[in-house]
Structures are given as C-alpha cells and as structure tokens.
Amino acid sequence: MIKKKIKNVKYIPNDPPNQLTLVIISAIGLYALINNILSNAIEASIKIKDESSRIIDFNLREEKGLVILEVLNYFNKDESNSNASSSSKVDDSMPHDYGVKSIKYICKMYDGIYKQTINGNIFITNITFEKNSKIDKSQANSN
C-alpha cells in the first residue's frame, strides 16, 4: 500500500482504477465526488489528537458489475452529533453539509447509491454505481 501524508494524515489509496471504472460518471462528477469525500475525511482526521489514528483508507474497485467507492476514516466522536453531516465546516465559508449535498446530488444523477455509516470511531462513506450507468449507455450509442 502507498501511504501519503496530508497535513499529518495518512492516505492509503488502492491501485488506480482502470479506464472502464472511470466512464461510469463524467470526469467533473468524479472529481467533485472524490474531492468532497476526501475533504470531509481530511477535515475529520485532522481533529484527531492521536496522529496514529489520522488514517484515510480510499478504495475504488469494480465488483460483480458494480463500481464501488469506499472511504474509511477515524473521527473524534466527542465532536460529532447524531447527524454527522451537519457538525463541521470544510472552511470558514463552506459548510460540510454542502459537500454532502453535492455527493448525494452526483449519486442521484448517475443512479448511484450513497451510504454513510459509523462503526465505533470509524466513519465509512460507501458509494456504488452500476457499470451500465447513464454515461456508459450514451457512450455506447455514440460509437
């Protein structure tokens, strides 16, 4: 695994996806999706006092006709509430909730499924798209 430090946060990506994975949504949609998810994960990780728990596990994979994006990160349970998306800010001007709304919008646009779960002090973001999404169909028709 490759580990990269981002503001004292360990980022653990999986192997890069092949091009078939990336055609499920537009490049701009993919950038916005990953940017929002990682921004939220970095923000949560930076708040953790124990630097050894500042870990973000990023996984993008194909599995049984699905493209799955999963990001796991530790968070400080003491600073959160039952609605994880409303308890923080990405920066002084943009609420965290805006990023979550953007993620939900992109998932809806491309018929994806978006889930957030908490397992102890680990926050899990899971997004699933079918391989035969809207972009795949339109590209198949244009060739």
Side-chain angles (χ1 to χ4, degrees), residues 7 36 38-47 79-81 83-100:
K7 295 184 180 179
N36 283 313
L38 288 179
S39 293
N40 294 345
I42 290 168
E43 175 200 354
S45 296
I46 289 171
K47 293 178 181 178
E79 291 186 14
S80 69
N81 60 22
N83 182 1
S85 68
S86 66
S87 63
S88 60
K89 287 188 176 284
V90 174
D91 62 31
D92 291 338
S93 63
M94 186 161 78
H96 172 99
D97 194 41
Y98 179 79
V100 173

Side-chain angles (χ1 to χ4, degrees), residues 18-113:
N18 65 36
Q19 289 187 344
L20 291 175
T21 302
L22 299 179
V23 298
I24 57 154
I25 66 175
S26 71
I28 293 171
L30 181 64
Y31 171 79
L33 193 65
I34 292 173
N35 181 57
N36 283 313
I37 292 169
L38 288 179
S39 293
N40 294 345
I42 290 168
E43 175 200 354
S45 296
I46 289 171
K47 293 178 181 178
I48 298 173
K49 291 179 183 176
D50 178 9
E51 288 191 20
S52 67
S53 294
R54 292 182 183 174
I55 298 171
I56 298 169
D57 186 355
F58 179 92
N59 191 306
L60 180 60
R61 66 187 183 277
E62 294 179 42
E63 191 175 292
K64 298 179 183 175
L66 300 173
V67 176
I68 301 167
L69 171 59
E70 186 174 64
V71 177
L72 289 79
N73 62 277
Y74 289 95
F75 73 102
N76 187 348
K77 289 172 77 169
D78 298 333
E79 291 186 14
S80 69
N81 60 22
S82 60
N83 182 1
S85 68
S86 66
S87 63
S88 60
K89 287 188 176 284
V90 174
D91 62 31
D92 291 338
S93 63
M94 186 161 78
H96 172 99
D97 194 41
Y98 179 79
V100 173
K101 286 179 183 177
S102 174
I103 293 166
K104 288 178 181 179
Y105 175 79
I106 293 166
C107 288
K108 183 177 179 181
M109 183 186 315
Y110 295 103
D111 299 325
I113 299 170

Side-chain angles (χ1 to χ4, degrees), residues 123-139:
F123 190 86
I124 304 163
T125 301
N126 187 289
I127 297 173
T128 305
F129 295 101
E130 289 186 29
K131 281 286 300 256
N132 61 347
S133 68
K134 294 175 186 178
I135 293 274
D136 282 338
K137 291 174 189 171
S138 67
Q139 287 182 350

